[in-house]
Amino acid sequence: MEARKPRLAVWKFASCDGCQLSLLDCEDELLAIAGAIDIGYFPEATRGEVKGVYDLSLVEGSVTTAHDVERIHEVRRRSKTLITIGACATSGGIQALRNFADVREYISIVYAHPEYIHTLETSTAISEHVPVDFELRGCPINKGQLVDVVSAFLAGRRPNTQAHSVCIQCKLKGNVCVMVAKAMPCLGPVTHEGCGALCPSYDRGCYGCFGPKETPNAPSLSGWFAGMGMDSKGLERIYRTFNANAEPFRKESERHDAQDRKG
Amino acid sequence: MTRKTVKVDVLARVEGEGALKVVLRDGKVESAEFNIFEPPRFFEAFLRGRHFVETPDIVARICGICPIAYQMSGVHALENLLGVKVEGPLRDLRRLIYCGEWIESHVLHIYMLHAPDFLGYDGGVQMARDHGDAVKRGLQLKKVGNEILQLLGGREIHPVNVRVGGFHRAPRKRELAPLAEKLKWAREAALETARWVATFDFPERERDYTFVTLRHPDEYPFNEGRIVSNKGLDISAAEYDAHFEETHVAHSTALHSHLRDGGGAYLTGPMARYNLAFEQLSALAKETAREIGLGESCRNPYRSIMVRAVETIYACDEALRVIENYEQPDRPFVPVEPRAGVGHAATEAPRGMLYHRYQIDDAGTIADAQIVPPTSQNQACLEEDLIDIIGGFSDLPHKELQYRCEQTVRNYDPCISCATHFLKLEIDRG
């Protein structure tokens, strides 16, 4: 008898849909992946649904409502392996900019009837609510890495992703350093690999969309940026983008925010 | 009077989270609510206080499906504010990158999201078991769109190369050459796509829509033009707020747009562009439209899949035109300097017109931002479709009616992240 194929679910929380779209953007691999697994739940791609427990859950998006706090626990209960995909799910995403602000003020800026809006004061990573088996970084994730993570799950091995900096990828690619040669501020030294050193390859500094690498030294890099003329407002902002709530970036931005307030 | 309630817990194959409630009385739809409950993400709020040069990277994150639309609307609004004109090859490259997004987005919708409705499958992957060649063709065609985005933008989702004033790096002529070969194949595949979708069984339903789109004197609309309608509207983007209003209703986290002064709901997107700019399509796109029986105008929302296919042919043609004429510019961008002011722009996202307005100060810090995505603009029109059209199907068995409601929503290719993942459908037949 043929063994049962692993059953996949793809879940969405607050996000732009870009990371799960990466699965549909695997034009060359999609049908092969669909042949190796049963798609049990993936509303962006299919209206079919298999109820029950899923062998692999891919979770996109951050937790921003009370209902979603409950829902992520339900997803965890129904998932044997839970992998988060993308910056929203692994660090709260760009929505986490509210964590530094008054969310009521945000609501009043965007909506005429604040009373219709139900939202938490924070946007948080999935791992702040439930245990996560693996976190895939990026805003958006790299689809090559996604295919590797799904393959690793199917093969029962560990995903083949590294935690080193974008700088290593730049060196491997033979890029000239944009900070040294062109005096462009670049978050590459503190940013997690995965994008293929994309921004420096396009003549601009890295803006940190894969979040902090392991053991980043953000204060040291900030010193370099300050030497290049960046003020404390700019230093605060450069860490506050798509991974603003990832701890090393959050701490560094708060340090400059405090300095800025002192004047 | 019998009372029936139909519920669908999940409306799939759209982007984002929402719900749908339809109330039928005596065979007529009494009310229809398209409820978007995607959690609010507050982009307009956190753009405040950012430097204007950060705009293209930030607004891209509104939508993973159409980041270029957000980037293009943003950079054009800011360039209008700063008095900067981007012309020549850089302007052409912006048309090219928009062609890439139209191809990948339209083809995703045609093959993976919408065609399964007509052929009776849950999704594109299930459809591939019986229609393998078609789905493979769709995936390869989508890939060509994505390859344009990869080359010009660095990656297909949240591209990194767009900036106010142009691009960070302009491609070399020879980098574009391999794309031309792929686009020639893509144009044929788009032609086959148009012939394929024309064989579907379409409900004969038409409505007298108010179409709103951009109009440019010389070209099918992407980035620039006046905002026009088939009912006499003809304004600049700067006049948008004087003619359109957004209201906030309890059942939706997306705002509803209407034309002011009783102008009501309006339709933006492929059908609006097609009806108002047919003459500006490429020769092959026009010829194909006639061949497949679409004619020069289309008011049947279910046939929007055919319009998307014709627009895909156009996007391939236009991309080829840009590539063949391209000469690498001396510099990849026009320098920009901040100055205080207000700037507006509208561009044509795959699913419809997208309006942005920014106010910045002398240092270039954003004081205020307004973003009106296509799905907000189409939401009221979508509800009117359900009221007008679904009423004609009220005798259908429950399951089929439910399916027809879902299909009617999917005609719009609604982007609910810009607006649905879960569309809960409730039909009350009281």
Side-chain angles (χ1 to χ4, degrees):
Chain A
M1 206 177 82
E2 199 184 335
R4 184 177 73 83
K5 288 183 199 166
R7 189 179 289 162
L8 171 77
V10 182
W11 306 93
K12 176 191 154 68
F13 289 77
S15 68
C16 77
D17 281 40
C19 289
Q20 56 178 316
L21 178 70
S22 296
L23 202 54
L24 298 178
D25 274 351
C26 295
E27 289 97 359
D28 294 330
E29 301 89 1
L30 179 64
L31 295 180
I33 293 171
I37 54 177
D38 276 334
I39 299 177
Y41 184 78
F42 186 3
E44 183 168 277
T46 178
R47 66 195 293 279
E49 182 179 357
V50 182
K51 299 205 188 305
V53 171
Y54 303 98
D55 299 289
L56 174 62
S57 276
L58 300 175
V59 179
E60 172 190 279
S62 65
V63 176
T64 63
T65 65
H67 174 246
D68 282 348
V69 173
E70 290 169 26
R71 196 159 63 94
I72 191 58
H73 285 278
E74 170 74 14
V75 168
R76 179 69 262 191
R77 274 195 294 277
R78 294 172 61 187
S79 310
K80 291 184 187 165
T81 299
L82 190 158
I83 294 177
T84 61
I85 54 170
C88 296
T90 58
S91 75
I94 190 164
Q95 296 83 243
L97 288 173
R98 77 178 67 181
N99 302 3
F100 306 96
D102 177 354
V103 81
R104 280 164 303 186
E105 190 190 328
Y106 271 19
I107 294 172
S108 72
I109 290 170
V110 181
Y111 294 103
H113 291 281
E115 69 276 16
Y116 296 163
I117 299 297
H118 304 283
T119 189
L120 295 173
E121 287 179 7
T122 55
S123 167
T124 43
I126 301 300
S127 64
E128 294 197 31
H129 301 271
V130 296
V132 169
D133 297 295
F134 186 79
E135 295 183 316
L136 188 61
R137 310 292 192 91
C139 180
I141 55 170
N142 173 310
K143 66 182 183 182
Q145 290 194 334
L146 177 65
V147 170
D148 179 71
V149 163
V150 173
S151 306
F153 169 78
L154 291 169
R157 64 169 168 83
R158 278 197 304 196
N160 187 26
T161 53
Q162 310 295 325
H164 58 230
S165 72
V166 170
C167 289
I168 307 279
Q169 284 188 316
C170 252
K171 299 294 168 281
L172 287 168
K173 226 172 161 177
N175 283 345
V176 172
C177 177
V178 295
M179 203 150 96
V180 173
K182 297 178 181 171
M184 293 176 176
C186 177
L187 283 174
V190 297
T191 298
H192 195 282
E193 68 97 38
C195 66
L198 210 50
C199 286
S201 309
Y202 279 78
D203 283 346
R204 64 179 293 192
C206 164
Y207 62 84
C209 64
F210 272 65
K213 73 169 190 108
E214 62 180 10
T215 65
N217 189 347
S220 168
L221 185 64
S222 299
W224 284 96
F225 291 164
M228 294 162 78
M230 195 182 285
D231 63 15
S232 54
K233 200 84 207 151
L235 283 162
E236 175 203 317
R237 277 203 319 264
I238 201 169
Y239 294 100
R240 273 187 196 170
T241 58
F242 315 106
N243 291 278
N245 204 46
E247 194 183 343
F249 284 8
R250 180 172 52 76
K251 278 189 169 161
E252 190 58 13
S253 76
E254 283 172 340
R255 193 165 73 86
H256 297 291
D257 188 13
Q259 269 173 11
D260 193 49
R261 282 170 206 272
K262 260 192 263 164
Chain B
M1 206 161 63
T2 53
R3 186 181 183 85
K4 284 185 192 170
T5 305
V6 181
K7 269 191 175 179
V8 177
D9 287 335
V10 179
L11 181 108
R13 307 201 313 267
V14 291
E15 292 112 13
E17 290 192 314
L20 182 64
K21 186 176 178 182
V22 177
V23 179
L24 282 118
R25 299 255 183 263
D26 300 328
K28 280 196 174 151
V29 181
E30 188 180 83
S31 69
E33 284 181 359
F34 179 51
N35 309 352
I36 290 178
F37 59 85
E38 177 85 11
R41 293 167 67 221
F42 303 119
F43 275 86
E44 289 155 319
F46 53 63
L47 278 161
R48 290 188 180 186
R50 305 301 297 212
H51 195 268
F52 79 91
V53 299
E54 298 174 83
T55 302
D57 296 330
I58 293 176
V59 297
R61 268 69 187 182
I62 293 173
C63 181
I65 325 294
C66 56
I68 290 296
Y70 285 90
Q71 292 188 328
M72 288 298 121
S73 305
V75 296
H76 278 85
L78 287 162
E79 286 157 12
N80 289 341
L81 189 162
L82 301 168
V84 170
K85 194 88 183 134
V86 174
E87 292 169 314
L90 292 173
R91 183 180 188 278
D92 272 356
L93 285 175
R94 286 182 167 177
R95 280 186 79 78
L96 179 59
I97 200 167
Y98 229 143
C99 287
E101 182 156 287
W102 274 27
I103 295 169
E104 63 84 15
S105 177
H106 274 1
V107 174
L108 173 74
H109 188 254
I110 291 169
Y111 282 89
M112 305 303 287
L113 311 183
H114 209 193
D117 276 335
F118 294 95
L119 300 175
Y121 295 91
D122 282 342
V125 168
Q126 293 89 340
M127 190 171 79
R129 289 183 204 132
D130 302 322
H131 299 271
D133 288 345
V135 171
K136 283 178 195 155
R137 178 180 64 218
L139 289 170
Q140 286 309 304
L141 179 53
K142 182 160 92 66
K143 189 176 169 186
V144 177
N146 275 333
E147 287 180 4
I148 295 175
L149 291 172
Q150 278 168 20
L151 178 67
L152 280 183
R155 60 187 171 199
E156 53 274 66
I157 300 166
H158 308 331
V160 304
N161 195 23
V162 170
R163 63 180 283 170
V164 181
F167 292 85
H168 291 278
R169 181 171 85 74
R172 295 183 185 89
K173 197 174 165 67
R174 66 180 154 78
E175 283 180 278
L176 291 177
L179 271 181
E181 290 312 306
K182 290 177 181 170
L183 277 160
K184 285 175 191 161
W185 174 86
R187 185 166 55 183
E188 287 304 307
L191 183 61
E192 286 175 47
T193 302
R195 289 174 178 153
W196 179 63
V197 298
T199 65
F200 296 170
D201 190 18
F202 295 102
E204 289 306 324
R205 289 287 188 279
E206 293 200 341
R207 285 223 297 127
D208 179 21
Y209 292 105
T210 298
F211 294 120
V212 172
T213 185
L214 294 184
R215 173 177 286 154
H216 187 274
D218 309 318
E219 50 198 25
Y220 202 69
F222 275 131
N223 282 316
E224 292 170 43
R226 290 177 68 78
I227 298 170
V228 300
S229 80
N230 55 331
K231 309 230 167 128
L233 184 75
D234 186 351
I235 59 169
S236 69
E239 298 169 281
Y240 181 91
D241 273 335
H243 293 269
F244 295 85
E245 64 184 336
E246 294 176 273
T247 52
H248 186 195
V249 295
H251 68 258
S252 183
T253 52
L255 304 178
H256 276 58
S257 298
H258 290 88
L259 280 154
R260 286 186 193 273
D261 305 323
Y266 59 98
L267 178 69
T268 181
M271 286 220 307
R273 293 189 292 254
Y274 185 85
N275 279 280
L276 292 174
F278 177 85
E279 275 311 315
Q280 291 167 326
L281 286 166
S282 61
L284 181 67
K286 280 191 273 199
E287 188 186 311
T288 308
R290 291 190 180 105
E291 178 201 315
I292 62 174
L294 198 55
E296 291 186 16
S297 77
C298 172
R299 292 169 188 276
N300 177 335
Y302 300 94
R303 287 185 195 267
S304 62
I305 192 170
M306 294 165 76
V307 175
R308 284 192 176 84
V310 169
E311 280 198 337
T312 306
I313 298 172
Y314 171 76
C316 293
D317 269 331
E318 179 65 1
L320 276 164
R321 183 193 69 78
V322 169
I323 290 171
E324 280 160 13
N325 295 321
Y326 179 69
E327 295 296 337
Q328 190 182 347
D330 295 334
R331 56 183 181 188
F333 57 87
V334 179
V336 290
E337 288 298 330
R339 69 177 194 203
V342 179
H344 319 252
T347 74
E348 287 288 340
R351 45 194 59 67
M353 195 174 76
L354 169 58
Y355 169 77
H356 286 221
R357 177 176 58 81
Y358 299 89
Q359 184 185 347
I360 69 172
D361 66 17
D362 274 328
T365 306
I366 298 173
D368 188 47
Q370 183 193 359
I371 296 173
V372 190
T375 300
S376 288
Q377 304 194 59
N378 281 333
Q379 209 174 319
C381 193
L382 191 160
E383 290 178 346
E384 287 191 357
D385 269 13
L386 287 164
I387 291 169
D388 272 27
I389 295 175
I390 290 301
F393 293 114
S394 62
D395 293 337
L396 284 177
H398 191 85
K399 251 192 153 164
E400 286 174 41
L401 181 60
Q402 179 183 312
Y403 206 75
R404 189 65 82 198
C405 288
E406 292 181 29
Q407 186 184 13
T408 305
V409 173
R410 280 192 285 263
N411 285 335
Y412 283 80
D413 190 8
C415 187
I416 297 171
S417 291
C418 311
T420 319
H421 262 21
F422 305 102
L423 191 65
K424 287 189 180 154
L425 171 66
E426 207 176 300
I427 300 174
D428 178 347
R429 301 196 194 220

